[in-house]
Amino acid sequence: MRIYNRLALLIALFASPADSFSGSYQRLSNVVSNKHSFVMRLNPTSFQGTDFVITEYPRPALRRVPNKSISEFDDTFQAKAQEMLMIMYESKGVGLAAPQIGLNENVFVYNPSDSKNMERVVCNPKITKYSEEVIVEQEGCLSLRSDECAGQVARSKWIETEYQNELGQKVIRRLKDFEARVFQHEFDHLKGILCLDRFPPEDREAAQENINKLLGLYTDSDAAADPDEEEFNNMMPRPLSARYMPPLEEEEEEEEEQPVGKSGGFGGGGFGAGGGKKATKKKKETKKKVKARDGKRSDNPMFKKTGKTAFANRK
């Protein structure tokens, strides 16, 4: 597995189409905070035109597998898909999976852009291929409700997918970058996987206070805190075993020859006046050089490798 050598501090999960980013991900600060104040992001308690609300951790619908396949693409289903899109937009998200509104059905919706032309209704999806290249970014989730309940998640840079659209037509697509990340996040929901299941131990520990608060708010006896073991073991790409650290930059001084004028050879009026070689002097110039970490700050050997730079911050 090749991991990109710079962590893009996008909290990519994710802002609304009206914001800088375009599901079920909420936009967080672009600086990772270590301060935990228990200030929770509250989801709307109702949405106009629908009885559905956001299903929050640890309700069992988020962990229940398998989800029911979509077999009828009738008017009832079309209406449901439109309700999901409406909830997604009202929640300022870029994607929403059926389990997130309490439905254990194999469908999610998303829109990774500012344009409604990019709306997608994804039924009975499969990811047939994952790239070995991964991008590490911060992710959060509406179903986790908290701006502090976020952490690093490694996702494949590109994926190959198969699914049916809202009309039941088969679609085969190769997705990359941000759209691939959104698709993978929503696909996880259909497998009972939440982004916190992919956090490295440090981020899971940092978020544990808010996770415990969500557990405390749910008083029923059927709380489902953990994912299905088989689905967890089958996750692709695998969760990070430690936080990813971007490469270090160090300053180096390099000497560069600079011309300073002409020499008179053996003297101003002697042989070769003005015809000598250009004299030079050494000038020091400071340049930054990227240095890969040596792995001493992590027990994960993948962090010793360097690769391409993760895609730049979106604007």
Side-chain angles (χ1 to χ4, degrees):
M1 179 185 293
R2 185 162 81 249
I3 189 163
Y4 285 170
N5 70 353
R6 196 183 86 191
L7 171 61
L9 289 178
L10 311 169
I11 298 218
L13 299 184
F14 298 107
S16 69
D19 292 312
S20 300
F21 290 102
S22 354
S24 62
Y25 320 97
Q26 56 202 54
R27 185 182 183 186
L28 312 181
S29 166
N30 65 348
V31 177
V32 181
S33 170
N34 292 320
K35 187 177 181 181
H36 301 282
S37 59
F38 292 119
V39 176
M40 313 276 298
R41 180 194 187 284
L42 298 180
N43 289 309
T45 56
S46 64
F47 297 94
Q48 187 175 1
T50 181
D51 294 329
F52 294 122
V53 293
I54 299 295
T55 299
E56 297 178 348
Y57 178 85
R59 292 186 178 275
L62 292 171
R63 297 299 199 179
R64 193 175 291 132
V65 289
N67 287 293
K68 181 181 177 183
S69 295
I70 304 299
S71 57
E72 295 185 9
F73 299 86
D74 54 13
D75 291 345
T76 300
F77 174 76
Q78 303 299 327
K80 185 189 301 179
Q82 288 304 309
E83 286 181 61
M84 290 178 67
L85 285 164
M86 181 269 295
I87 292 171
M88 180 190 79
Y89 289 130
E90 267 197 60
S91 299
K92 298 187 183 223
V94 291
L96 187 75
Q100 291 186 277
I101 56 171
L103 296 177
N104 285 113
E105 298 178 3
N106 214 24
V107 57
F108 63 80
V109 299
Y110 74 95
N111 184 346
S113 75
D114 294 337
S115 170
K116 287 201 173 185
N117 292 331
M118 288 291 290
E119 285 180 353
R120 298 286 184 263
V121 178
V122 177
C123 307
N124 310 319
K126 297 177 184 177
I127 298 179
T128 57
K129 191 171 184 180
Y130 294 84
S131 70
E132 292 186 2
E133 297 171 293
V134 300
I135 296 176
V136 175
E137 291 180 4
Q138 295 284 117
E139 287 188 18
C141 180
L142 286 180
S143 291
L144 295 174
R145 196 189 196 190
S146 170
D147 283 0
E148 293 290 341
C149 195
Q152 290 186 350
V153 174
R155 300 284 188 191
S156 290
K157 175 177 171 56
W158 58 261
I159 53 175
E160 293 179 1
T161 68
E162 293 181 10
Y163 61 89
Q164 291 171 278
N165 63 17
E166 65 273 23
L167 302 177
Q169 299 166 331
K170 185 175 181 178
V171 178
I172 299 176
R173 297 185 66 209
R174 180 184 170 112
L175 310 176
K176 65 180 182 178
D177 296 334
F178 184 61
E179 185 174 7
R181 177 171 288 270
V182 176
F183 194 103
Q184 290 172 83
H185 181 109
E186 299 304 337
F187 183 79
D188 271 358
H189 276 299
L190 301 185
K191 301 297 182 180
I193 301 295
L194 302 177
C195 59
L196 64 86
D197 301 319
R198 293 182 174 273
F199 291 174
E202 302 94 323
D203 287 358
R204 181 62 184 251
E205 182 180 354
Q208 193 61 50
E209 289 177 303
N210 280 329
I211 293 171
N212 291 342
K213 183 169 185 179
L214 288 170
L215 286 166
L217 292 172
Y218 188 70
T219 57
D220 292 350
S221 61
D222 61 350
D226 300 313
D228 177 81
E229 184 176 359
E230 183 178 353
E231 295 294 353
F232 179 81
N233 290 334
N234 289 335
M235 285 194 299
M236 291 289 292
R238 298 304 301 160
L240 296 171
S241 61
R243 274 188 68 83
Y244 170 64
M245 300 297 293
L248 298 170
E249 282 190 347
E250 63 177 14
E251 291 189 350
E252 278 192 350
E253 286 190 347
E254 295 186 1
E255 292 187 345
E256 186 175 298
E257 291 188 350
Q258 299 286 343
V260 294
K262 292 183 177 180
S263 168
F266 292 103
F271 298 102
K277 293 183 179 179
K278 289 184 178 179
T280 61
K281 71 174 181 179
K282 301 285 187 179
K283 180 181 178 182
K284 290 186 177 181
E285 184 176 336
T286 300
K287 294 183 179 180
K288 285 188 177 180
K289 182 180 179 182
V290 175
K291 178 183 178 182
R293 292 187 181 275
D294 60 8
K296 292 179 181 178
R297 295 183 64 180
S298 170
D299 61 0
N300 192 327
M302 76 166 64
F303 299 155
K304 298 179 183 179
K305 300 179 182 180
T306 59
K308 297 179 180 178
T309 300
F311 64 90
N313 290 351
R314 296 170 180 269
K315 295 182 179 179

